[in-house]
Amino acid sequence: MSSNTGERRRGQFRWWVVVWLWIGCLGPVLAQDGGYGSFVIENAIDRLLRSSHLKGADIGVVVKSLDDGQMLYERNPLNPLITASNTKLVTTAASLGVLGEGFQFETRFGLRGNPGENGVFLGDLIVEGEGDPGLGARFHHGDPVGAFRALAAALRERDIRTIRGSLVLDTTAFDDEYVAPGWPQNQLDREYCAPVSALPLTENCVDVLIGPGSAIGARATARLAPATSLLGFENTCETFSKLKRGQGPKLFRYQETIRVSGEVRLGDGESRFVLSVPDPDAYFADVLLRTLAEEGIRIEGSTRRAGSGGANLDDRERVYTHRTPLEQVVLVINKESQNFFAECLFKRLARQRYPEQPATFALAGSVVREYLDQLGVPSEHVESADGSGLSRDNRYAPAHLVRLLEAAYRGPYRQIFVSSLPISGVDGTLDDRMGGAAYRGRVRAKTGYIRQVSALSGFIRTRSDRTLVFSILFNGFKSGNAHMKKIQDDICRTLIDGM
């Protein structure tokens, strides 16, 4: 063996000793601090983001450790993107911060006038609203008019059976712009586009129940729950002995007319559909009057709206107050991705900050930006168009959402906020995602999707019990959302396994 060969082998031996020492001694230290682990994680996430399904898409990803504050991954962290229902994270966190976790929505019912004789009240029944989304079946054991029945009971306790005056609706808390700019105009009859009003009822939607007729060839039956005279039917749906594949009732609402077509099968039960109402104030008044009449209470006068100054009920005049706690509202918004609740909460923020003027979508957006400013998120880099994320005009960067989530996690309302998020493989909009034993329950996050927009942001508990905060935003992709969700889930799995 030549001296040169021996020297090369000794050099190689020394080089391997150095590598061994680095891996054996320094490697674990770097991995513990995130250096070596972060390098592996970065490469794994980069590989996932090179998917052909993301070709041409705008991507924003941020991952941060909440244990030590270390930034673990960034891709376009400050690029403002459309956030879809991840916007609800902003709405709910800002609401807890601005309104306080003990806040409750209120709908106040009162009497103004004088008691008469024989169960007659000489005056008006007044209703003051502030966008309480809980007037409906959800919190009343399935009874859509449960709150109105409670009002009737309160009136009977005062021995009132007839009100000689008017039904006065005070809707001055909100403006009359029921629909946010940027909402899809061809979908306004859908449940997720329900109008936003100061006096909402049954989430400003109505159940449409379609059933078979009495015989083959007969017209299908159609009814509303709760019943209202404000909507009529144009029904061409027929009853058949069996249905062709893909057939069934088809519904849409054009102004005050619900058009029903398609087919139903003889012997089937009723099918339930949900459509928004076109005039929420008129709907509220109509169903209230109907319910009171069913409960034996009659209002003889007309229905009118309070003037611009509002009705200003005082405590002595109140008969019944319906309340919905903010904690319940936040839970529904984030677990179910419920748009209407989010929009009511969004406008209620504006009312809280600017009590002397009707709440608008624009004012609510300014309150959100003020809140984000307090968290260190520059408001000039944010567009806050609505509370639900239905509008394509919302813009937040992944770093903005991570900062918001971090503040919520470290804030006094952490328990309410984190508990409201869907849990992987368990509930909400993540009940069918990351459900394997290794990942179930380790991700609490908000989903989001509108056309060519997919989002997932929230918290991760890793195998080593580290807590991470993350935001993954995809815009402008050409593949279906199923591919986007798989990439998001694979990133979460990578973080759970690797950190």
Side-chain angles (χ1 to χ4, degrees):
M1 181 176 65
S2 69
S3 60
N4 288 339
T5 302
E7 188 62 34
R8 281 198 302 271
R9 289 182 176 176
R10 285 192 293 272
Q12 289 171 352
F13 175 77
R14 287 194 295 269
W15 184 83
W16 278 111
V17 169
V18 170
V19 171
W20 179 83
L21 287 172
W22 188 89
I23 293 174
C25 300
L26 296 180
V29 175
L30 290 172
Q32 184 178 2
D33 291 340
Y36 181 69
S38 294
F39 176 78
V40 174
I41 291 294
E42 287 173 13
N43 277 277
I45 296 177
D46 282 341
R47 178 177 53 79
L48 291 169
L49 296 178
R50 285 196 293 269
S51 168
S52 60
H53 295 297
L54 286 171
K55 185 177 180 181
D58 290 322
I59 298 170
V61 180
V62 172
V63 183
K64 184 179 181 181
S65 169
L66 286 174
D67 299 320
D68 56 17
Q70 182 188 3
M71 191 64 67
L72 301 174
Y73 186 88
E74 290 182 303
R75 171 78 68 91
N76 302 320
L78 296 176
N79 184 24
L81 296 171
I82 307 172
T83 44
S85 282
N86 270 205
T87 305
K88 294 180 174 74
L89 294 170
V90 183
T91 302
T92 53
S95 297
L96 288 164
V98 173
L99 301 174
E101 59 186 271
F103 172 82
Q104 297 184 89
F105 282 90
E106 289 190 354
T107 305
R108 297 171 287 275
F109 299 82
L111 292 168
R112 184 165 291 164
N114 298 293
E117 297 179 349
N118 301 318
V120 174
F121 182 81
L122 305 174
D124 300 328
L125 175 65
I126 300 170
V127 190
E128 288 182 331
E130 55 177 30
D132 179 357
L135 284 160
R138 187 186 294 270
F139 300 132
H140 292 276
H141 308 290
D143 183 358
V145 293
F148 292 169
R149 297 192 199 282
L151 167 65
L155 291 171
R156 285 195 297 269
E157 286 180 6
R158 294 174 177 240
D159 194 29
I160 295 174
R161 296 294 187 276
T162 301
I163 296 173
R164 284 277 164 84
S166 299
L167 171 61
V168 181
L169 304 181
D170 183 350
T171 62
T172 56
F174 288 5
D175 70 344
D176 291 334
E177 186 181 23
Y178 298 143
V179 175
W183 285 12
Q185 294 297 303
N186 63 342
Q187 300 171 42
L188 297 182
D189 64 335
R190 301 294 100 181
E191 179 182 11
Y192 52 82
C193 285
V196 187
S197 62
L199 281 172
L201 174 66
T202 61
E203 300 168 21
N204 281 345
C205 290
V206 63
D207 286 356
V208 186
L209 301 169
I210 307 297
S214 58
I216 294 173
R219 193 77 72 217
T221 62
R223 65 186 181 93
L224 302 175
T228 175
S229 59
L230 296 180
L231 294 167
F233 284 103
E234 184 179 287
N235 183 6
T236 61
C237 186
E238 294 187 3
T239 305
F240 288 81
S241 59
K242 62 179 180 179
L243 303 182
K244 298 175 184 177
R245 179 174 296 182
Q247 291 297 311
K250 298 177 177 60
L251 288 81
F252 74 95
R253 177 182 58 74
Y254 177 73
Q255 296 180 351
E256 289 82 25
T257 301
I258 297 173
R259 295 176 177 171
V260 186
S261 60
E263 304 171 357
V264 292
R265 186 172 63 179
L266 185 67
D268 283 353
E270 287 183 318
S271 298
R272 174 180 173 269
F273 301 85
V274 182
L275 294 175
S276 70
V277 298
D279 186 338
D281 295 340
Y283 173 64
F284 183 97
D286 181 68
V287 177
L288 174 57
L289 291 171
R290 283 171 173 268
T291 304
L292 291 178
E294 290 172 1
E295 296 288 322
I297 297 170
R298 183 164 57 99
I299 298 180
E300 295 184 340
S302 61
T303 298
R304 60 184 175 86
R305 295 176 68 168
S308 58
N312 299 311
L313 283 172
D314 63 35
D315 291 340
R316 292 170 301 174
E317 296 171 320
R318 293 191 193 184
V319 175
Y320 170 67
T321 300
H322 181 273
R323 296 181 175 88
T324 304
L326 177 60
E327 181 175 358
Q328 290 183 338
V329 173
V330 169
L331 183 68
V332 170
I333 291 171
N334 286 336
K335 285 286 188 190
E336 301 181 21
S337 202
Q338 220 287 343
N339 286 359
F340 177 75
F341 272 56
E343 300 302 347
C344 287
L345 189 54
F346 189 63
K347 277 199 171 183
R348 188 60 183 81
L349 282 173
R351 182 65 173 178
Q352 189 77 6
R353 178 68 177 80
Y354 303 101
E356 301 304 318
Q357 53 186 309
T360 67
F361 287 105
L363 281 176
S366 70
V367 176
V368 167
R369 289 191 293 273
E370 288 174 10
Y371 179 75
L372 290 172
D373 263 332
Q374 296 171 14
L375 301 183
V377 176
S379 59
E380 62 269 21
H381 297 153
V382 164
E383 293 292 338
S384 182
D386 69 11
S388 67
L390 186 59
S391 173
R392 304 185 74 84
D393 295 332
N394 293 295
R395 292 289 191 283
Y396 298 95
H400 298 158
L401 295 183
V402 163
R403 179 69 191 96
L404 175 94
L405 289 166
E406 183 178 11
Y409 187 84
R410 301 192 190 286
Y413 50 86
R414 166 180 167 178
Q415 180 61 35
I416 293 175
F417 183 80
V418 175
S419 296
S420 74
L421 298 178
I423 305 171
S424 60
V426 176
D427 65 13
T429 55
L430 285 180
D431 63 345
D432 60 349
R433 295 175 62 175
M434 295 173 278
Y439 308 105
R440 185 183 300 116
R442 289 191 175 273
V443 179
R444 288 181 178 262
K446 183 71 196 72
T447 58
Y449 172 73
I450 54 178
R451 182 175 53 85
Q452 292 190 332
V453 176
S454 188
L456 185 69
S457 302
F459 305 100
I460 288 174
R461 180 171 56 86
T462 71
R463 290 189 188 282
S464 60
D465 278 335
R466 294 183 69 178
T467 302
L468 313 181
V469 58
F470 73 96
S471 179
I472 306 169
L473 306 179
F474 299 148
N475 283 191
F477 49 87
K478 302 301 188 291
S479 298
N481 190 42
H483 296 294
M484 302 303 107
K485 292 195 291 187
K486 184 179 186 309
I487 295 169
Q488 293 160 0
D489 293 356
D490 285 345
I491 291 174
C492 290
R493 292 186 185 100
T494 297
L495 292 166
I496 291 168
D497 293 337
M499 300 305 299

